[in-house]
Amino acid sequence: MDVLALEAKNVNGSEPEKKSSSRPRPKPKPPKKPKRIVYFEVEIVDVKTKEKLLLLDKVEPTSTILDIKALFHKSYPKWYPARQSLRLDPKTKCLRDEEILQTLPVGTTASFYFSDLGPQLTWGTVFLAECVGPLVIYLMFYFRLPFIYAPKYDFTASENWVVHSACLCHSSHYIKRILETMFVHRISHGTMPLRNIFKNCGFYWCAAAWMAYYINHPLYTPPLYGQQQVNLGLYIFLFCQVGNFSIHVALRNLKQPGSKVKKLPYPTKNPFTWIFWLVSCPNYTYEVGSWLGFSVMTQCLPVALFTLASFVQMSVWARGKHRAYLKEFKDYPTLRSPILPFIL
């Protein structure tokens, strides 16, 4: 055995350890410095008196307008968030609750102009009041309660079949609207001013009383063309009522609960929704069609005038929604009209 090899062994007879090549260890990365949060200073000023109402310090940049309203509500309990209107300028539109502070065209010191919207009601409450009133008022005339017609007609029934059909159609229309408000509609706007309920309800309640008075009057005469005209109006009414309900269900399915993402409505497998190819607001189209059928069925002037007034108002709403669709969706179908295909 070689002498050098023997010397290489230690006392225990083990081989000597080999020295590992020394490599410089990588230096640990320094911990990341936390990003500096730039807080905002929010000033709320009365839009009328220009008086400074509140100064909020250290408001997070990700705060929404609703968060600012909640902070303002803590200092002024009588002005709950739904009652507040905040603007960047007295002449501009109200800011939406979901808008974020850091995305607004303001510096680190932001001034908001406050105005009181007055007592508020939920839209659901307003819709129910609009529908329950006409339903009850019409039935009062249908059953000929005292002090409406001559005493000899109290609680009497009409001999004309069209009067009973009209009552069923009118009642079913408003019952449908009540059920839709409770179970179908997902209302985007939370509240509306209390004063508006008198205007909205006044229109529907007075219109219901006006048409009900003449349709259920003891001297009411059936339509000129008899049963054929009644049947035609009834078929139009029922067809449009089913179509209106189908559109409401289709619009509901576009919105997820709690979501504010807007989607473009398109026809579904339901044939009543195919009108979406031609119209932006077919729910209004079917609504006007229902009252048009009711006018044909009853041949009553107050009903025709109510139909005309409703058409004018719904045309204004439809044109507004149509413009909003065109502005929001660049690929919006050009073939669509607001309420009447190829006309309006």
Side-chain angles (χ1 to χ4, degrees), residues 40-155:
F40 282 68
E41 187 177 81
V42 176
E43 180 185 54
I44 299 180
V45 181
D46 188 281
V47 70
K48 294 181 179 179
T49 64
K50 301 300 185 292
E51 177 188 356
K52 184 188 293 184
L53 299 177
L54 184 65
L55 180 64
L56 299 172
D57 192 17
K58 291 187 177 181
V59 180
E60 295 186 0
T62 56
S63 299
T64 62
I65 296 299
L66 184 60
D67 296 332
I68 296 174
K69 288 182 177 181
L71 294 173
F72 185 68
H73 175 53
K74 290 181 179 179
S75 299
Y76 296 90
K78 67 176 182 178
W79 290 324
Y80 45 90
R83 188 169 176 166
Q84 302 174 32
S85 168
L86 296 180
R87 312 164 188 240
L88 292 176
D89 187 88
K91 298 180 180 179
T92 58
K93 293 182 179 180
C94 301
L95 296 170
R96 299 189 306 272
D97 287 346
E98 62 270 18
E99 293 192 66
I100 301 174
L101 181 59
Q102 63 183 359
T103 62
L104 298 175
V106 295
T108 54
T109 301
S111 295
F112 293 99
Y113 291 90
F114 162 80
S115 59
D116 182 15
L117 297 177
Q120 300 288 301
L121 285 175
T122 62
W123 277 90
T125 302
V126 176
F127 288 158
L128 289 176
E130 289 177 357
C131 299
V132 171
L135 177 63
V136 174
I137 290 172
Y138 194 98
L139 292 176
M140 290 172 60
F141 285 87
Y142 174 74
F143 289 110
R144 295 177 178 173
L145 298 184
F147 308 107
I148 296 179
Y149 303 112
K152 64 179 180 179
Y153 297 115
D154 292 348
F155 299 108

